[in-house]
Amino acid sequence: DTAVSQTPKYLVTQMGNDKSIKCEQNLGHDTMYWYKQDSKKFLKIMFSYNNKELIINETVPNRFSPKSPDKAHLNLHINSLELGDSAVYFCASSQVLVAGGNTGELFFGEGSRLTVL
Amino acid sequence: GEDVEQSLFLSVREGDSSVINCTYTDSSSTYLYWYKQEPGAGLQLLTYIFSNMDMKQDQRLTVLLNKKDKHLSLRIADTQTGDSAIYFCAAGGYQKVTFGTGTKLQVIP
């Protein structure tokens, strides 16, 4: 039973198209994230949601729109895809760090590889 | 914002020890983590250390934290070919974790 699952695993599309990636977690966590990993393996946070509320929005173009219908789901919609959007997008979840309570460990999905032609 | 830096590549012989280093900038980071990424997979937590600790040992893994220099290291004893992966250092506070650039560990049989 996969803890953090994202679909699709692979996505190949043309420049200018719009695409979505879906993520679901069954861990009961209250925080979910989208990370982007580029071809050099650098990992950068894009968005973070806590209980469906956006709490982190790193300087990401507004072509990227996250949506969290409930705390177990966080989807990512990308409009007008560009070549530079090609990357692996990782969804992750965690229980929000509480002093002395937990470690804030992130649980990652397997990634969605987006290729823009 | 937080910056986390690592060297990009490390090559060791099977059976030797590996030491992966990391520096970070935000002294208020509560936890420091080491994640492992195998090819085609997501990241998995390997170990972590709380910011008020200096050292943590977990089987073949030893984490050392120097808070004054904001330096973190991961030592893998008796490195095996299965340890070949990318290792990410990460620094976290409340609601945000910043990852380092990742160190690709190559283990030569």
Side-chain angles (χ1 to χ4, degrees):
Chain A
D1 208 21
T2 308
V4 181
S5 58
Q6 40 182 126
T7 54
K9 194 165 171 151
Y10 298 98
L11 196 50
V12 180
T13 189
Q14 300 284 336
M15 249 174 34
N17 283 351
D18 303 338
K19 289 293 174 189
S20 292
I21 307 172
K22 295 187 174 184
C23 179
E24 176 181 4
Q25 55 96 3
N26 63 7
L27 297 166
H29 289 161
D30 51 22
T31 306
M32 294 185 73
Y33 310 80
W34 279 110
Y35 279 85
K36 179 181 179 181
Q37 187 174 45
D38 64 21
S39 58
K40 293 185 176 146
K41 305 297 185 185
F42 297 157
L43 197 66
K44 283 205 75 171
I45 189 166
M46 299 173 70
F47 301 103
S48 168
Y49 271 73
N50 179 262
N51 279 320
K52 304 192 295 173
E53 301 279 331
L54 178 67
I55 51 172
I56 292 174
N57 181 347
E58 295 288 298
T59 50
V60 177
N62 57 16
R63 297 183 295 105
F64 290 79
S65 48
K67 194 166 275 190
S68 182
D70 55 61
K71 74 174 197 176
H73 294 84
L74 179 62
N75 303 323
L76 183 65
H77 187 75
I78 316 170
N79 288 327
S80 304
L81 278 155
E82 299 177 358
L83 293 176
D85 297 333
S86 294
V88 181
Y89 292 85
F90 284 100
C91 177
S93 73
S94 72
Q95 200 58 18
V96 71
L97 189 61
V98 174
N102 57 26
T103 64
E105 177 184 354
L106 288 167
F107 290 78
F108 283 83
E110 293 202 334
S112 297
R113 181 177 290 277
L114 171 66
T115 303
V116 182
L117 303 173
Chain B
E2 171 86 88
D3 267 333
V4 183
E5 298 281 340
Q6 304 174 235
S7 52
L8 292 180
F9 190 76
L10 177 66
S11 181
V12 298
R13 294 210 171 272
E14 192 174 15
D16 287 350
S17 290
S18 310
V19 180
I20 303 172
N21 294 301
C22 167
T23 57
Y24 60 99
T25 56
D26 187 353
S27 55
S28 68
S29 292
T30 311
Y31 279 97
L32 296 127
Y33 309 87
W34 285 103
Y35 282 82
K36 179 182 180 182
Q37 185 180 30
E38 296 187 355
L43 282 72
Q44 282 197 301
L45 183 69
L46 204 55
T47 187
Y48 66 91
I49 188 167
F50 191 49
S51 58
N52 68 356
M53 296 168 67
D54 298 323
M55 186 182 95
K56 180 179 180 182
Q57 186 139 10
D58 185 0
Q59 299 182 333
R60 293 190 296 124
L61 306 177
T62 304
V63 179
L64 294 177
L65 175 60
N66 181 328
K67 272 197 84 169
K68 177 174 159 289
D69 294 340
K70 300 195 196 73
H71 182 266
L72 183 73
S73 68
L74 172 70
R75 179 176 178 269
I76 305 173
D78 186 24
T79 313
Q80 302 296 307
T81 53
D83 295 325
S84 293
I86 301 176
Y87 290 80
F88 288 89
C89 168
Y94 295 90
Q95 298 180 338
K96 186 172 177 181
V97 175
T98 301
F99 284 82
T101 46
T103 300
K104 185 169 183 176
L105 175 64
Q106 179 188 50
V107 182
I108 304 164

